[in-house]
Amino acid sequence: MKTICLYFEIHQIIHLKRYRFFDIGTDHYYYDDYENERSISDIAERSYMPALNTLLQIIKENDRYFKVAFSLSGVGIEQLEMHAPQVLAKLQELNETGCVEFLAEPYSHGLSSLANEETFAADVKKQCEKIEEYFGKKPTVLRNSSLIYSDDIGGQVAAMGFKGMLTEGAKHVLGWKSPHYVYNCNIAPNLKLLLRDVELSDDISLRFSNSDWSGYPLFADTYVNRIASLPQEEQVINIFMELSALGIAQPLSSNILEFLRAIPACAKEKGITFSTPTEICKMTKSVGNLDVPDTLSWVDEERDVSCWLGNAMQREAFNKLYSIADRVRIAQDPRVNQDWDYLQASNNFRFMTTKSSNVGLDRGIYSDPFDAFTNYMNILGDFINRVNSLYPEEIDNEELNSLLTTIKNQGDEIEMKDKEISRLKTKLAKIEEAEQKAKAEKKAPAKKSAVKKTAAKKTAGQNDGDAR
């Protein structure tokens, strides 16, 4: 039986402000607050809320038949917390239906998986904790930033304990193979791979409202019939896209939400079900290894990482940023950590690309790739100076780690001693209380005896009076 795995990504670009060379050392705040609030409020109103309301309606109308998965970057959640908390509330309402799965991904929506294993693991762990905090569930399937994947990354993800991972069904990787099967990591067989169907996903997210497209207009029954007509043995149909495709890339006036709402009924007629990624990983066996020695993603025609690291500027910025990854992770300074998350975001490197792309790229405040590079490097220069001011540059990572471990151990020891002191104080208070109680009990019989003697004397006196 065929099943559709529908997944949406929610991430928000953190817009950097214009930062000049002379700001280095004097201004440690790097963000355009107005643009950050404006952009996410706009997306929430035009896309997220209408789309999520529709998805909730579909679930209710179809009595738990329809299922969907989401992944939220940590920095995206932070922006929603500040400027669009209604989106998080709606996601929690969806979560309560039991028909929604939330996936793991790097907190920063960055490229740490290409640079530093420890940073990547910490990035994912931080996001998982955030997801568990909001939705009460620990993710078991991971989706890397922009579906970035390779054999080595798969090995890292398997070592973190994940059961499955989403990635791109790129033709140069699959060759003659179909994306409609479950595969497994070449070097970690226990990690199952769900591959995005590029054509079926892009028909909705990129082409739906394009009147020049040969498939326009696309109707739900036509779309589902294409899925039903696939070979019988091809049973897993992965349709992955950004949630902002519903309302931004494809405007609501195109009837994109009505199209989505009609799909479950059409699928039901054809005997097609809906499943979450974890359900597929549990119930479907892998048909074999997927060999991915070179890194792939879901971006551009090349489906690789050249949009982020394709030119010398991007590689210089990338290498400069991750040259301090270990120091940032070791130092654990809250303000530095937040800036680190925002500066890692992959869009910072995408703005520096010199590639042409079929998908339009809005560079925001930047006039060209060189402008984006200059602005980012000015900010990065100030950030690195701050990291080095916390712990002098001449102290290498190993020595710094040793010093901070010693400090942490001393702190743990002090905390243990404080707990022991508190325990002993409580014990002493109980002993003193018991002693006071015992003394009180000893005094009580003496008082009772005195009272009895007094009463006896009064009685005797009364008797004497009566005798007279």
Side-chain angles (χ1 to χ4, degrees):
M1 182 181 290
K2 287 183 171 55
T3 190
I4 295 172
C5 180
L6 185 61
Y7 151 81
F8 294 103
E9 171 205 350
I10 299 177
H11 168 62
Q12 179 62 23
I13 290 175
I14 303 296
H15 296 273
L16 302 178
K17 69 181 183 182
R18 180 64 67 180
Y19 194 93
R20 306 189 185 282
F21 176 79
F22 297 104
D23 294 324
I24 298 174
T26 61
D27 183 1
H28 303 318
Y29 192 78
Y30 312 134
Y31 314 108
D32 185 339
D33 290 336
Y34 171 79
E35 183 58 25
N36 284 325
E37 181 175 2
R38 186 208 65 78
S39 61
I40 196 164
S41 298
D42 179 61
I43 292 173
E45 181 181 351
R46 292 169 55 201
S47 171
Y48 291 168
M49 289 306 294
L52 293 175
N53 281 324
T54 299
L55 290 169
L56 181 60
Q57 189 176 17
I58 293 172
I59 291 172
K60 290 179 178 179
E61 288 175 347
N62 290 276
D63 192 26
R64 298 175 61 85
Y65 166 74
F66 178 78
K67 296 178 181 179
V68 66
F70 297 94
S71 73
L72 292 79
S73 69
V75 297
I77 292 175
E78 288 185 13
Q79 291 298 297
L80 291 172
E81 287 172 335
M82 286 189 285
H83 307 303
Q86 70 273 20
V87 175
L88 290 171
K90 185 59 65 176
L91 285 165
Q92 288 174 321
E93 189 177 350
L94 276 158
N95 181 52
E96 290 170 1
T97 66
C99 297
V100 175
E101 178 178 359
F102 292 92
L103 309 183
E105 74 160 76
Y107 191 95
S108 65
H109 196 77
L111 307 174
S112 56
S113 60
L114 304 176
N116 188 295
E117 287 188 24
E118 290 79 9
T119 298
F120 178 48
D123 212 5
V124 170
K125 181 182 178 183
K126 184 176 180 181
Q127 188 265 359
C128 287
E129 290 171 349
K130 196 78 169 175
I131 292 295
E132 195 167 6
E133 174 190 333
Y134 268 99
F135 307 109
K137 300 174 184 176
K138 186 176 181 180
T140 59
V141 173
L142 183 136
R143 175 258 186 209
N144 200 4
S145 309
S146 301
L147 297 186
I148 290 172
Y149 177 80
S150 69
D151 291 337
D152 290 338
I153 292 172
Q156 294 175 47
V157 171
M160 294 179 205
F162 291 100
K163 305 303 180 186
M165 186 171 179
L166 275 53
T167 190
E168 180 77 341
K171 290 182 179 179
H172 71 276
V173 171
L174 284 170
W176 58 268
K177 297 177 182 177
S178 167
H180 305 140
Y181 295 93
V182 173
Y183 296 89
N184 61 263
C185 175
N186 195 33
I187 63 174
N190 291 332
L191 183 75
K192 291 183 177 178
L193 302 175
L194 306 185
L195 308 184
R196 174 178 179 261
D197 184 305
V198 177
E199 186 175 349
L200 287 171
S201 299
D202 288 353
D203 282 352
I204 298 176
S205 63
L206 298 182
R207 294 184 281 268
F208 184 82
S209 61
N210 182 4
S211 58
D212 294 329
W213 173 43
S214 60
Y216 179 86
L218 180 62
F219 296 104
D221 56 350
T222 306
Y223 188 78
V224 172
N225 286 340
R226 283 169 56 193
I227 295 173
S229 65
L230 292 168
Q232 185 177 357
E233 61 274 14
E234 297 186 14
Q235 295 189 355
V236 179
I237 317 301
N238 299 308
I239 300 171
F240 305 160
M241 67 192 77
E242 296 177 359
L243 185 61
S244 60
L246 309 179
I248 303 298
Q250 308 306 322
L252 298 181
S253 59
S254 69
N255 293 324
I256 184 69
L257 296 183
E258 288 73 11
F259 165 83
L260 187 65
R261 190 175 170 186
I263 285 178
C266 296
K268 208 168 193 177
E269 287 182 4
K270 296 294 183 179
I272 300 171
T273 63
F274 290 83
S275 301
T276 63
T278 293
E279 288 175 340
I280 292 174
C281 289
K282 285 181 177 179
M283 70 184 184
T284 309
K285 291 183 179 180
S286 167
V287 297
N289 297 341
L290 189 69
D291 186 16
V292 189
D294 300 316
T295 310
L296 65 90
S297 76
W298 71 355
V299 179
D300 293 345
E301 291 183 5
E302 295 85 353
R303 299 294 195 267
D304 58 14
V305 296
S306 58
C307 67
W308 303 290
L309 301 175
N311 63 45
M313 292 185 299
Q314 292 170 310
R315 291 189 292 273
E316 181 180 347
F318 178 83
N319 293 332
K320 190 80 171 176
L321 175 69
Y322 284 102
S323 69
I324 58 167
D326 292 330
R327 296 179 72 80
V328 172
R329 190 181 68 258
I330 292 166
Q332 285 298 305
D333 181 84
R335 177 64 190 277
V336 165
N337 283 348
Q338 184 179 55
D339 290 337
W340 171 250
D341 289 334
Y342 294 168
L343 293 178
Q344 279 191 89
S346 61
N347 57 276
N348 293 312
F349 303 96
R350 183 78 189 275
F351 292 151
M352 303 176 200
T353 187
T354 50
K355 284 178 58 181
S356 58
S357 174
N358 291 333
V359 181
L361 175 62
D362 181 3
R363 298 183 200 270
I365 63 171
Y366 306 125
S367 57
D368 54 48
F370 310 99
D371 186 27
F373 171 74
T374 301
N375 201 69
Y376 183 80
M377 292 302 284
N378 286 341
I379 291 173
L380 188 56
D382 182 77
F383 179 71
I384 291 174
N385 287 343
R386 286 169 55 207
V387 172
N388 290 335
S389 69
L390 285 173
Y391 303 100
E393 196 172 0
E394 55 268 19
I395 302 177
D396 61 30
N397 291 337
E398 187 175 346
E399 186 180 356
L400 176 58
N401 194 22
S402 177
L403 287 170
L404 293 178
T405 299
T406 301
I407 293 170
K408 183 180 182 301
N409 290 341
Q410 289 175 344
D412 291 343
E413 188 177 346
I414 291 170
E415 185 179 353
M416 285 177 64
K417 288 181 177 179
D418 286 342
K419 287 181 180 178
E420 180 65 14
I421 291 169
S422 178
R423 187 184 68 81
L424 291 173
K425 282 181 177 178
T426 303
K427 187 176 180 180
L428 181 60
K430 287 181 179 179
I431 292 171
E432 290 176 347
E433 185 181 349
E435 286 180 352
Q436 289 175 0
K437 190 175 181 181
K439 287 178 181 178
E441 287 175 353
K442 284 181 180 179
K443 289 179 180 179
K447 285 183 179 179
K448 286 180 182 178
S449 177
V451 170
K452 284 180 180 179
K453 287 180 180 179
T454 304
K457 286 181 180 179
K458 285 182 178 179
T459 302
Q462 289 173 356
N463 291 337
D464 289 345
D466 292 340
R468 292 191 189 101

